[in-house]
């Protein structure tokens, strides 16, 4: 049986389409994808890459987010905001909320023993937040420009549906495999077998695009200020575009020039800085590598031409991330 979402006239008027995914909600879906070995063709290379890049401090968050089922809701606060803004909300979560969310999870599955004192131990909570930051920086930050590009294109398509057919067409096509619009009710089939009725009570529904959420729907019935429904953005092609954006191919014939690039101490420092801080700006890259911004930019160009980093631009903002070849090359050199 599905979850039946009931709309009133006020709900239809207040239903919105989010322009971008919620970074921490998207992170939770990405963690589930990391832990569940589905879509081997699309995700196997990404999983191998992440397994190499995640450090032991990731374990706290990975233990709290299962492959499926309930998790502590305070780890992914709903609503809008940047990853850093949402992370600040997690760090400031009230102790009563931590206890309540952990109790909800404990009613369905066992929790690690370290969670017992989490609400009353600020240092332990700080370590958990650091773990969340680390996992986000490895799993999502390197791909965030590509993720937002996919979701912005999806939102534009939904806006065209809204203009041509109204909100009913948007709801009818939001996720056809798992949802069915029978006005004024949206039926959302949950593979877990969860069923029930969600009355929006004038709050409306927030439709949130998700690149990693290509399969089963995710619904947040208790989110404030309004419930949300994650829907797939761009489908499987959207996920592929986010995880494997167009970049310079690995140049086997250019091994000599690659060797000359990595033979310089500064270039190696720049590459290491990019690997350690995926998604960093040129200014951040220069600071981390201990070189002038102009020098960092010059070496970033060489590394990009060698196929070791990719650079994305959104307006005036530039960010640099390592390619999988760079991670493999650095790991081999370190080994």
């Amino acid at each position: 049986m599905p979850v039946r979402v009931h709309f009133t006239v006020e709900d239809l008027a207040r239903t919105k389409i989010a322009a971008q995914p919620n970074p921490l909600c998207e992170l939770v879906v990405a963690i589930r994808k990391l832990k569940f070995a589905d879509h081997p063709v699309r995700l196997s290379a990404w999983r191998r890459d992440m397994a190499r890049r995640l450090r032991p401090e990731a374990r706290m968050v990975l233990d709290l987010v299962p492959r499926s089922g309930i998790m502590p809701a305070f780890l992914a606060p709903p609503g809008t905001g940047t990853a850093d803004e949402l992370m600040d909300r997690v760090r400031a979560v009230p102790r009563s909320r931590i206890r309540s969310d952990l109790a909800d999870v404990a009613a369905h599955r066992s929790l690690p023993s370290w969670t017992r004192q989490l609400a009353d131990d600020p240092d332990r909570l700080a370590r958990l937040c650091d773990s969340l930051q680390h996992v986000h920086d490895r799993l999502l930050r390197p791909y965030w420009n590509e993720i937002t590009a996919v979701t912005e294109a999806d939102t534009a398509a939904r806006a065209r549906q809204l203009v041509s057919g109204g909100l009913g067409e948007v709801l009818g096509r939001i996720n056809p495999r798992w949802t069915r619009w029978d006005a004024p009710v949206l039926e959302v089939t949950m593979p877990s077998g969860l069923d029930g009725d969600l009355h929006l009570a004038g709050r409306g529904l927030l439709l949130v695009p998700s690149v990693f959420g290509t399969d089963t729907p995710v619904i947040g019935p208790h989110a404030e200020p309004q419930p949300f429904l994650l829907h797939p953005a761009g489908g499987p092609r959207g996920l592929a575009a986010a995880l494997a954006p167009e970049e310079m191919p690995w140049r086997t014939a250019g091994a000599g020039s690659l060797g000359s690039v990595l033979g310089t101490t500064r270039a190696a420092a720049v590459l290491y800085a990019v690997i350690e801080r995926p998604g960093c700006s040129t200014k951040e890259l220069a600071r981390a590598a201990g070189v002038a911004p102009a020098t960092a930019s010059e070496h970033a160009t060489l590394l990009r031409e060698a196929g070791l980093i990719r650079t994305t631009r959104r307006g005036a903002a530039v960010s640099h991330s390592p390619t999988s070849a760079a991670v493999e090359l650095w790991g081999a050199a370190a080994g």
Side-chain angles (χ1 to χ4, degrees):
M1 294 292 291
V3 172
R4 294 166 294 279
V5 184
H6 297 263
F7 288 76
T8 64
V9 173
E10 290 81 4
D11 294 317
L12 292 172
R14 292 173 181 165
T15 291
K16 298 181 293 186
I17 304 171
Q20 294 184 358
N22 174 304
L24 295 190
C25 288
E26 188 74 352
L27 178 61
V28 168
V29 182
I31 291 172
R32 295 187 193 273
K33 282 284 190 289
L34 180 69
K35 300 179 77 170
F36 189 68
D38 60 346
H39 303 296
V41 174
R42 278 185 278 156
L43 295 177
S44 58
W46 173 76
R47 289 190 180 102
R48 288 194 301 270
D49 190 20
M50 292 305 105
R52 287 192 293 266
R53 292 168 62 181
L54 288 175
R55 295 176 178 172
E57 55 261 41
R59 178 54 53 192
M60 293 182 79
V61 166
L62 297 183
D63 283 347
L64 288 183
V65 179
R67 295 194 304 178
S68 62
I70 190 171
M71 54 154 278
F74 72 85
L75 289 178
T80 58
T82 66
D84 292 338
E85 289 169 345
L86 294 173
M87 210 76 68
D88 286 342
R89 294 184 205 172
V90 177
R91 294 182 186 277
V93 65
R95 291 185 297 176
S96 59
R97 173 69 188 279
I98 297 175
R99 294 192 189 96
S100 174
D101 285 358
L102 291 176
D104 288 343
V105 175
H108 295 83
R109 64 181 178 90
S110 60
L111 284 168
S113 59
W114 57 262
T115 63
R116 293 171 189 163
Q117 302 301 321
L118 182 62
D120 301 307
D121 188 340
D123 290 338
R124 191 169 300 186
L125 178 60
R127 290 198 300 274
L128 174 60
C129 292
D130 290 343
S131 175
L132 186 66
Q133 182 78 62
H134 168 72
V135 176
H136 172 270
D137 288 348
R138 295 307 188 269
L139 262 63
L140 282 196
R141 194 180 292 277
Y143 306 100
W144 195 248
N145 286 341
E146 289 79 14
I147 288 172
T148 54
V150 170
T151 55
E152 285 172 358
D154 184 86
T155 299
R158 306 290 175 191
R160 290 192 294 272
Q161 292 172 8
L162 182 63
V163 170
S164 64
L167 186 56
E169 181 172 349
V170 174
L171 293 172
R173 298 173 61 179
I174 200 72
N175 191 353
R177 182 181 176 187
W178 299 100
T179 64
R180 186 174 74 91
W181 173 242
D182 185 10
V185 176
L186 180 68
E187 296 183 348
V188 183
T189 300
M190 307 297 289
S192 61
L194 178 68
D195 69 284
D197 293 276
L198 171 59
H199 293 272
L200 298 175
R203 295 170 296 170
L205 185 68
L206 180 64
L207 304 173
V208 182
S210 172
V211 167
F212 280 90
T214 58
D215 299 316
T216 57
V218 176
I219 192 166
H222 306 298
E224 294 294 343
Q226 62 187 156
F228 68 85
L229 173 67
L230 261 61
H231 65 84
R237 292 183 180 179
L239 180 59
L243 295 184
E246 293 182 3
E247 60 187 29
M248 296 295 291
W250 179 257
R251 299 180 177 180
T252 305
S257 62
L258 175 61
S260 66
V261 170
L262 289 181
T264 67
T265 302
R266 285 181 175 177
V270 169
L271 178 59
Y272 178 73
V274 173
I275 292 174
E276 286 296 294
R277 297 167 178 79
C280 61
S281 66
T282 302
K283 185 178 294 186
E284 292 169 335
L285 182 58
R287 186 164 52 247
V291 298
T295 302
S297 180
E298 177 184 351
H299 285 296
T301 299
L302 293 174
L303 293 169
R304 184 168 58 253
E305 291 176 349
L308 293 176
I309 71 172
R310 61 175 177 271
T311 300
T312 55
R313 181 183 296 274
R314 291 181 62 82
V318 173
S319 63
H320 308 283
S321 298
T323 64
S324 57
V327 176
E328 291 178 7
L329 181 65
W330 193 273

